[in-house]
């Protein structure tokens, strides 16, 4: 072995895996290859692995590994101890290491083992050593450094390419320079290799919203403080989040050790991060809700736009009897009503909740409009002893109505307490609100005037929930 090669304590393990293309949280590894390098020399080891699902055709064409080849191969649990022994105590070196390390960590957990090696990504190392080159895929490293290819897209073949790359860079750079870079990169193992570290360095640790963009994302970040421009209209983000400490929250996405497929997917796809600073937590919550509904990021499950928002309205008919009516946000000014109960994202959800309420409080479903039933006869729920008889005169309409009002009390919608728009002061910003609608955020009188002159947005349930809590926390300014 070349004497110029400086090895870390415990040595190196150059690692590559092949998978079915499935997530880390399933048995998707099909092959593992490891090249161990230490003071005793170089040793190679590899094994096919039986996954829990079939290998897709395109993966078979890429790797040459098909279902027949792995049919009698061991499952990962059967070779977990052998893999553990070859990795334990060594510097784990892989190309796009988050992928290989993430899949192996998850597989070890399922096998009842926990391994926490120091991890070095050769994509990151190549970017630091050769900043003038834009691309650092393994194919580009092969071409750029003249690496000898034996079996491309096979685990041991690709692991051996990394060992060759390690030798090539030691021929070109002083060992001390490489060792310093390795110490720095291993000390910051959580950033995806394709993400510019300068973006993380520029992130403020203040309240705001962050946007993750993929390969084709474009645009510019923004701030309510006008330090940067607004998010680019010509691109769609992968994910939008909020935090009172932007930098810490963004870093937490990349330090999750792939305990969820969502975090792993995000770390593999993100290419650029943008952010919008806000005056505080309420501003961040409101900005996040607005951006998610407008841009519809693929990885956001909550805060999505909902056009079927509805509520139960309790009113009296022509003869003074209480009755329930399902009303929609598009038809009524939800923010200023004092006779609404619930808020539901669909008619089905509203009906299901009312049926549960009827069973819980022994209310009569036909009188609530949930079932059709001949007037004056006993309903089906009465026969099951779940109704007190208001359907056939066994209970007075007034008594039934009082119990209905009592049952609905916990679902009462908060009534807007002011006649016009007000401002909620948060730091140097004022959030302008009217009828539980967020009209905008102003930092000066001109912005405030523009917001008050603009039209009101549609009623939004997520904004309503934010503002109901915000009016209890922030000073209210009459406008």
């Amino acid at each position: 072995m070349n004497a110029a090669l400086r090895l870390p304590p415990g040595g190196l393990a150059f690692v590559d895996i092949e998978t079915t293309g499935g997530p880390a949280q399933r048995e998707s590894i099909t092959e593992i290859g490891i090249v161990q390098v230490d003071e005793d020399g170089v040793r190679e080891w590899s094994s096919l692995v039986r996954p829990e699902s079939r290998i897709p055709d395109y993966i078979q064409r890429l790797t040459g590994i098909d279902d027949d080849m792995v049919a009698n191969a061991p499952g990962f649990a059967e070779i977990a101890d052998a893999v553990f022994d070859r990795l334990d105590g060594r510097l784990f070196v892989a190309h796009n290491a988050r992928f290989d390390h993430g899949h192996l960590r998850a597989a070890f957990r399922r096998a009842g083992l926990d391994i926490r090696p120091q991890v070095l990504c050769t994509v990151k190392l190549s970017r630091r050593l050769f900043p003038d080159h834009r691309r650092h895929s393994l194919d580009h490293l092969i071409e750029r450094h003249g690496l000898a290819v034996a079996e491309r897209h096979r685990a041991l073949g690709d692991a051996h390419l990394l060992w060759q790359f390690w030798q090539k860079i030691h021929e070109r750079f002083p060992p001390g320079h490489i060792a310093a870079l390795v110490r720095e990169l291993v000390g910051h193992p959580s950033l995806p290799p394709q993400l510019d570290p300068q973006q993380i360095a520029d992130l403020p640790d203040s309240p705001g919203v962050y946007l993750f963009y993929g390969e084709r994302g474009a645009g510019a970040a923004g701030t309510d403080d006008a330090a940067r421009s607004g998010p680019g209209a010509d691109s769609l983000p992968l994910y939008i989040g909020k935090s009172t400490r932007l930098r810490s929250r963004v870093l937490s996405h990349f330090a999750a050790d792939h305990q969820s497929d969502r975090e792993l997917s995000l770390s593999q796809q993100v290419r650029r991060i943008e952010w919008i600073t806000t005056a505080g937590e309420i501003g961040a919550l409101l900005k996040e809700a607005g951006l998610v509904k407008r841009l519809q990021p693929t990885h956001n499950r909550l805060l999505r736009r909902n056009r079927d928002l509805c509520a139960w309205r309790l009113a009296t008919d022509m003869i003074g009897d209480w009755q329930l009516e399902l009303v929609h946000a598009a038809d009524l000014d939800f923010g200023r009503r004092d006779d609404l109960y619930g808020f539901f994202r669909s008619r089905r959800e509203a009906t299901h909740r009312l049926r549960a309420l009827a069973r819980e409080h022994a209310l009569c479903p036909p009188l609530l409009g949930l079932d059709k039933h001949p007037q004056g006869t006993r309903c089906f729920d009465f026969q099951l002893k779940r109704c007190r008889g208001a359907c056939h005169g066994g209970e007075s309409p007034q008594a039934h109505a009082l119990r209905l009002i009592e049952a609905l009390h916990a679902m009462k919608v908060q009534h807007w307490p002011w006649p016009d728009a007000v401002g909620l002061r948060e730091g140097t910003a004022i959030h302008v609100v009217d009828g539980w609608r967020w009209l905008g955020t102003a930092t000066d009188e001109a912005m405030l005037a523009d917001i008050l002159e603009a039209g009101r947005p549609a009623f939004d349930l997520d904004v309503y929930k934010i503002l109901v809590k915000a009016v209890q926390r922030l000073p209210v300014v009459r406008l």
Side-chain angles (χ1 to χ4, degrees):
M1 187 163 38
N2 190 336
L5 292 177
R6 183 175 296 180
L7 300 177
L12 302 160
F14 297 94
V15 184
D16 187 79
I17 65 171
E18 304 299 333
T19 74
T20 63
Q25 306 310 313
R26 298 181 181 176
E27 297 282 358
S28 56
I29 298 175
T30 59
E31 189 176 39
I32 302 172
I34 302 173
V35 177
Q36 299 169 253
V37 182
D38 53 31
E39 296 298 336
D40 294 329
V42 180
R43 295 175 299 286
E44 300 177 354
W45 179 91
S46 68
S47 175
L48 290 168
V49 183
R50 186 179 68 254
E52 69 176 14
S53 60
R54 66 173 300 276
I55 303 173
D57 292 340
Y58 75 96
I59 296 290
Q60 294 187 34
R61 291 192 295 270
L62 177 68
T63 65
I65 302 173
D66 57 33
D67 293 323
D68 291 338
M69 292 173 61
V70 297
N72 296 317
F76 183 85
E78 299 174 61
I79 60 171
D81 288 338
V83 177
F84 188 98
D85 290 343
R86 286 168 172 80
L87 300 180
D88 189 32
R90 301 177 184 276
L91 180 63
F92 184 108
V93 186
H95 209 66
N96 192 12
R98 288 181 64 84
F99 177 83
D100 302 81
H101 179 240
H103 275 269
L104 284 170
R105 278 290 306 275
F108 275 123
R109 286 196 202 100
R110 288 190 293 270
L113 297 172
D114 185 29
I115 189 169
R116 298 177 181 271
Q118 290 189 308
V119 179
L120 174 65
C121 178
T122 48
V123 176
K124 296 180 184 179
L125 182 59
S126 178
R127 288 182 61 179
R128 296 296 298 273
L129 291 172
F130 305 99
D132 294 337
H133 293 278
R134 291 185 57 194
R135 300 187 180 278
H136 300 270
S137 70
L138 195 51
D139 286 328
H140 285 94
L141 265 58
I142 291 170
E143 181 180 358
R144 189 175 303 146
H145 301 288
L147 307 182
V149 180
E151 289 185 289
R152 184 71 177 97
H153 297 298
R154 292 298 298 269
L156 187 57
D158 287 354
H160 200 275
L161 288 170
L162 300 181
W163 165 226
Q164 291 182 57
F165 171 68
W166 184 263
Q167 297 174 82
K168 290 286 187 180
I169 60 177
H170 277 79
E171 293 172 2
R172 181 165 178 174
F173 297 95
H177 177 65
I178 296 175
L181 280 180
V182 169
R183 284 194 299 271
E184 183 178 344
L185 291 172
V186 169
H188 300 81
S190 58
L191 294 186
Q194 68 275 12
L195 189 62
D196 184 357
Q198 189 59 44
Q199 293 194 10
I200 299 296
D202 292 340
L203 268 168
D205 220 14
S206 58
V209 175
Y210 57 93
L211 301 90
F212 287 171
Y213 287 89
E215 187 71 49
R216 297 184 180 180
T223 170
D224 285 352
D225 300 325
R228 300 170 68 94
S229 59
D234 57 342
S235 62
L236 293 177
L238 298 168
Y239 179 77
I240 297 174
K242 54 84 181 50
S243 178
T244 56
R245 299 181 62 189
L246 281 172
R247 189 171 186 273
S248 299
R249 181 67 186 96
V250 168
L251 285 173
S252 73
H253 279 282
F254 308 130
D257 273 340
H258 311 304
Q259 293 183 12
S260 73
D261 293 339
R262 176 169 158 270
E263 296 288 0
L264 176 59
S265 178
L266 270 177
S267 71
Q268 291 175 337
Q269 295 181 59
V270 65
R271 296 296 188 275
R272 183 170 51 82
I273 301 172
E274 296 182 353
W275 61 91
I276 303 168
T277 59
T278 61
E281 180 184 9
I282 301 302
L285 287 166
L286 292 170
K287 181 65 72 174
E288 178 197 32
L291 286 174
V292 168
K293 288 180 172 61
R294 179 162 63 88
L295 300 178
Q296 297 283 287
T298 55
H299 284 263
N300 284 86
R301 296 185 180 92
L302 302 178
L303 300 177
R304 291 300 190 98
R305 187 185 297 118
N306 192 289
R307 296 182 176 88
D308 298 322
L309 186 65
C310 54
W312 289 109
R313 176 174 176 260
L314 185 62
T316 56
D317 59 17
M318 295 181 63
I319 61 175
D321 289 336
W322 291 101
Q323 64 177 14
L324 280 175
E325 175 190 10
L326 189 64
V327 294
H328 291 78
D331 303 323
L332 291 177
D333 188 349
F334 272 12
R336 296 187 179 277
R337 304 291 305 197
D338 195 27
D339 54 0
L340 300 182
Y341 298 85
F343 283 150
F344 308 96
R345 297 187 185 274
S346 67
R347 172 181 288 272
R348 180 179 179 181
E349 182 184 340
T351 302
H352 179 77
R353 181 69 183 94
L354 187 57
R355 284 194 180 277
L357 208 66
R359 288 193 297 270
E360 183 180 347
H361 295 272
L363 299 169
C364 181
L367 293 186
L368 300 180
L370 294 173
D371 295 333
K372 292 182 179 180
H373 191 76
Q375 188 173 2
T377 61
R378 299 178 178 184
C379 71
F380 182 67
D381 279 55
F382 179 79
Q383 300 176 44
L384 297 178
K385 298 183 180 180
R386 295 194 308 214
C387 165
R388 295 186 183 178
C391 48
H392 65 280
E395 180 185 32
S396 70
Q398 294 79 11
H400 184 270
L402 287 174
R403 291 196 302 107
L404 171 60
I405 294 171
E406 182 181 354
L408 290 170
H409 179 73
M411 299 197 310
K412 185 77 165 61
V413 172
Q414 181 74 39
H415 177 248
W416 178 249
W418 295 280
D420 299 303
V422 300
L424 303 179
R425 186 180 296 280
E426 185 175 35
T428 58
I430 291 180
H431 307 302
V432 184
V433 185
D434 188 14
W436 301 119
R437 291 168 167 85
W438 174 48
L439 308 188
T441 298
T443 54
D444 57 48
E445 291 186 5
M447 290 179 64
L448 179 59
D450 290 341
I451 291 172
L452 290 174
E453 291 177 5
R456 295 200 313 165
F459 184 86
D460 183 278
L461 177 57
D462 297 302
V463 170
Y464 164 81
K465 292 178 178 178
I466 295 168
L467 293 176
V468 165
K469 296 179 180 179
V471 296
Q472 302 173 19
R473 296 172 49 188
L474 301 180
V476 177
V477 180
R478 299 299 297 270
L479 303 176

